[in-house]
Amino acid sequence: MWRMGPLGHTAISTVIGASVWAGTGSPLAGAVAVGVGVAVDIDHLVDYYQWWIRRKPNQILVLFHGWEYSIIGLLLLVFSYYHPIFLAAVAAHLGHVATDHFHNRLSPLGYFITYRAWVRFDAKKIAPGISPERSYKNLPSSFPLRPLWEPWYRRKIEPWIAARVESGPLEDGSYPQI
Ligand SMILES: [Zn+2]
């Protein structure tokens, strides 16, 4: 599996949320930690759109993924602004990026957004040897209630994406119209 998905992030965020609740006494802060820890992955939708709808598979954006956000959040928490909800958001974001960093096989700097911007979000530099646009094959393993919808996904959605991803460019560099 190329990336840690919602199931894994939900489990880890729940542990972080329980810790935040215990540490701050705020159940709302605990809930925010769980929500933020899962919601960071919403930015994948932009990448999926680029790869599978616009057929531009050569970049990895994931704009919410970046150690920098966590570091800035921690600095603010320590030096200028403390609030239990803000603590929850920073802890959940840090937990998410750390989990992805150690679980997913990107380059060592891949989870720094400044690095990704520096290399112009070039997928070959950020995820060497991986074809992230082919992650549609593993997508069902990342989501819950798989038996309910996976057959439909395999029948209707996967072939459609596969045709767009796998056909490749024509000799003049353009893509065949489907
Ligand atoms: Zn992620």
Side-chain angles (χ1 to χ4, degrees):
M1 188 172 89
W2 175 63
R3 74 180 187 89
M4 174 68 75
L7 284 177
H9 282 303
T10 301
I12 287 157
S13 301
T14 301
V15 174
I16 293 172
S19 308
V20 167
W21 182 2
T24 65
S26 166
L28 178 61
V32 166
V34 178
V36 169
V38 177
V40 169
D41 272 342
I42 282 175
D43 62 4
H44 283 285
L45 293 177
V46 177
D47 289 53
Y48 294 159
Y49 174 76
Q50 291 290 328
W51 301 340
W52 300 337
I53 310 293
R54 297 194 65 210
R55 306 172 104 175
K56 292 179 182 288
N58 43 1
Q59 288 191 321
I60 295 178
L61 300 174
V62 288
L63 297 175
F64 296 163
H65 289 67
W67 292 108
E68 293 92 332
Y69 304 127
S70 298
I71 293 166
I72 290 167
L74 286 172
L75 290 173
L76 285 171
L77 273 173
V78 171
F79 292 112
S80 71
Y81 177 74
Y82 174 81
H83 190 282
I85 304 289
F86 186 52
L87 170 72
V90 173
H93 186 272
L94 181 62
H96 186 114
V97 173
T99 305
D100 280 355
H101 174 85
F102 289 109
H103 179 85
N104 300 339
R105 292 169 297 151
L106 299 192
S107 65
L109 296 175
Y111 281 102
F112 286 93
I113 187 154
T114 46
Y115 170 77
R116 293 201 304 280
W118 174 256
V119 298
R120 296 174 187 271
F121 301 99
D122 184 345
K124 288 191 184 67
K125 294 198 170 95
I126 296 163
I130 297 172
S131 299
E133 74 278 9
R134 297 214 165 95
S135 59
Y136 67 88
K137 293 176 180 169
N138 300 325
L139 209 59
S141 65
S142 299
F143 290 89
L145 302 175
R146 196 169 163 180
L148 293 182
W149 57 272
E150 186 175 0
W152 169 82
Y153 173 84
R154 297 288 183 205
R155 205 169 53 242
K156 298 283 186 189
I157 306 297
E158 187 174 28
W160 185 83
I161 298 174
R164 300 181 71 80
V165 170
E166 309 291 347
S167 56
L170 300 172
E171 276 178 30
D172 65 358
S174 69
Y175 282 85
Q177 296 298 313
I178 299 175

